[in-house]
Amino acid sequence: MPKKTLKQLQVNKEWCKGCGICVAFCPRDVLSIKDGKVNIEDIDSCIECGQCELRCPDYAIYLGGKNK
Amino acid sequence: MKRGNIKLMQGNEACVEGAIAAGMRFYSGYPITPSTEIAEISAAKLPRIGGKFIQMEDEIASIGAVIGASLTGLKSMTATSGPGFSLKQENIGYAAMAEVPCVIVDVQRGGPSTGLPTSPAQGDVMQARWGTHGDHPIIALSPYSVKETYEITIEAFNLSERYRTPVIILMDEVIAHMREKIEIPDENEIEIVDRLKPKDKAEDYNPYEINDGDLVPAMASFGEGYRYHVTGLVHDINGFPTNDSKIAESLINRLTKKVEENTQDIVKYDEYFLEDAEIALIAYGGTARSVKSAVDMARKENIKVGMFRPITIWPSPEKQILELAKTVKKIIVVEMNLGQYYLEVDRIAKKSTDVYKYGRVNGELITPDEILSYIKEV
Amino acid sequence: MPSQIVDDYFRTNSLPHIWCPGCGNGIVTRSIVKAIDNLKLDRDKICIVSGIGCSSRASGYLDFNTLHTTHGRALAFATGIKMANPNLDVIVITGDGDSAAIGGNHLIHAARRNIDITTIVYNNNIYGMTGGQYSPTTPRGDKGTTAPYGNIDTQFDLCDLTTSAGATYVGRSTVFNPKLIVKLIEEGIKNKGFSFIETVTICPTYYGRKNKKGNAVDMMKFLRDQSISINAAKKLDEDKLKGKIIVGELHKSIRPEYTEEYKRLVNSF
């Protein structure tokens, strides 16, 4: 199911500054902060709403990868 | 000489005519005496020749808009006088740092502050050199006649394009409002210099990289497909800000060197009766007219004086002034301030000869008679 | 690897950006490129012009023609660009201090001219780059390092200001609602005239800490709870609107655009 893979939640820990905005506003509690960085806690609950990506100030979390 | 090309005009008008001949297609300004005619004439002419004129909300906005317009590829100019020149300084520094060609006309008037708005002065000589903060190159030219104003304005555009630097035209109220007959040359007789455009493809373009030993980088215009960054911060060859001390040093040194190392290509000057002179008078702009008359009067009395007239004020014609200092017994710098260019001449010449100053700041012209008296006194 | 939108429109080698943890500026910046992407604009024709301050660093991260000017002067430079080449899409990124204090004159006159520039203010209610001094949008009573006993100044409403000055499209959103930011910017760019979008953003490091507003999450919740849409706000009296952030399209009008007027003048000869 490549389409599903493309939309999957991606995290770039190097860019994450650990502000916690994505964690706080995730409607399904998918995320947590671990060692100062965002961590995907429960990917199965993710509904791919993209709220985290919209509000991440650091472009460290997003849906899908690069379309190649 | 074609009769139709002979015109009677004032210095401010000649400045606009020269600018248009040089390719000026953008003018933004703010009204200020005694430069206002430059804006008025630009407002009348530019819309008719495919150019743009805009009166901005203040002096700072005027130079800002000029820099923005130049980045799109249009040759751009603004004009002002002392108070406005002070206000523009930060953005003149920006143009020097970001290497954006532009021409700033400063029709000098009595200062400081609001000073003597309708009276001539030459008190902005040092402001032209050091008005903005930091070390930076500057080119400043000072015409002494209406005809020369026309020529110098073309030269100012050419130098700004060639060296990617702001060029200042230091006029004064005398030259700005004086009317003289001038002959406008044919278009094909005028040498026009345009900025160097990049040869690289957009993806290979580094906006501040120099090539072939030239200290001036090639400049793309916004909208041409070279998407690059311009900042007043210290930047690397890609235009991006950096705090790297090595890059900072090499950038500021390159900016300075691109003018300093080309001083002899840039400087223009005029000599009058200097061959056998024992006393050299140094003067520029409107004051040089009185000095020239004083030289004529002195020669009639068999006093061996001559005049050296820098047309390029900055960078100063250091080599020429030094040579002069070695051949004359005395140098007198005559200017409508309390000794600004005198400082520069004294720095260059004092080891070789005595340097005197004759200045005035009351808004009245220095007359040939009093210069002659001072020559005798010295 | 960054997301598609970031990879497409950012100079990714200059990321991560310099903004503090929890700073909302990154949210606004992403919203700008999202709007540009939605409109399918020719990126070679886009000029992003910014002033000085935290917000104005955004220009350097974006892969367009970008110009980082002097403090307060972005609109002056931008006016020169738009006037010189009206085919360019000119977008100004500025902050509350940059646009409303040192650059206030340029803001009202750009609005008065109705020149086709879209201005996006990142309003964080403070001077961040210099360490937290009160700005023209710091609410009365709030603290800054230069208002240690509380700000006695009155807060500027920049949307009211630009509406009065003649802007033809004015809107406001907060970083809690990026989708609205995107929509407003899209409409702003489409508007042939001066468009002004105020984005209320958060500065947890200075404004937040100085005023005990909590962390980034607390400040985002505050924006969520205080926001009220313009339509809802119309039904409430002034008392109930105190402290609320009115969001949405606040003003739309039709007036001649400056560069079009210039063109008309030229064509009249």
Side-chain angles (χ1 to χ4, degrees), chain B residues 51 57 91 94 227 229 231, chain C residues 44 66 68 70 83 113 262:
Chain B
E57 54 275 16
N91 281 340
Y94 185 95
R227 295 187 305 271
H229 189 55
T231 178
Chain C
D44 287 339
T66 53
H68 180 225
T70 46
M83 189 62 186
R113 284 185 195 106
Y262 191 85

Side-chain angles (χ1 to χ4, degrees), chain B residues 48 51-55 57-58 60-61 64-65 68 71-72 91 94 223 226-231 233 240, chain C residues 11 44-45 57 59-60 63-68 70 73 76-77 80-81 83-84 105-106 109 113 258 262 269:
Chain B
R48 292 180 175 274
K52 306 288 169 70
F53 171 91
I54 185 167
Q55 180 169 311
E57 54 275 16
D58 59 37
I60 300 170
L71 281 163
T72 73
N91 281 340
Y94 185 95
Y226 297 79
R227 295 187 305 271
Y228 66 102
H229 189 55
V230 178
T231 178
L233 288 164
F240 295 118
Chain C
R11 291 166 174 150
D44 287 339
K45 300 287 178 208
R57 283 302 187 98
S59 59
D63 188 10
F64 303 102
N65 305 286
T66 53
L67 179 60
H68 180 225
T70 46
R73 315 304 168 198
F77 284 65
I81 291 173
M83 189 62 186
N105 201 28
H106 311 309
H109 285 275
R113 284 185 195 106
Y258 189 83
Y262 191 85
F269 293 131

